[in-house]
């Protein structure tokens, strides 16, 4: 877990989404938040996102 907001971090969106992407972790690991942040950045970059939630977990 990052404890400082000052840690620089970047991802190559093209490399990340040109294939399949899955978010897997234990309950409470903040997967939903991580997906929300990634989706927001993709949309800001002009991308399109389709999300399938097969279990409709909330």
């Amino acid at each position: 877990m990052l404890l400082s907001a000052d840690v620089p971090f970047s991802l190559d969106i093209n490399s990340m989404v040109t294939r399949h992407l899955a978010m897997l972790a234990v309950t409470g690991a903040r997967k939903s938040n991580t997906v929300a942040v990634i989706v927001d950045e993709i949309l800001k970059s002009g991308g399109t996102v389709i999300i399938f939630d097969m279990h409709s977990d909330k």
Side-chain angles (χ1 to χ4, degrees), residues 5-54:
D6 298 331
V7 176
F9 186 80
S10 66
L11 291 172
D12 180 1
I13 293 174
N14 289 325
S15 294
M16 187 170 67
V17 298
T18 54
R19 303 291 272 167
H20 298 91
L21 174 67
M23 291 291 187
L24 307 172
V26 297
T27 299
R30 312 234 350 128
K31 296 176 298 291
S32 296
N33 183 67
T34 301
V35 170
V37 170
I38 291 170
V39 167
D40 188 46
E41 293 300 319
I42 291 171
L43 295 175
K44 285 180 187 175
S45 298
T48 302
V49 177
I50 299 172
I51 298 173
F52 294 97
D53 182 358
M54 304 310 282

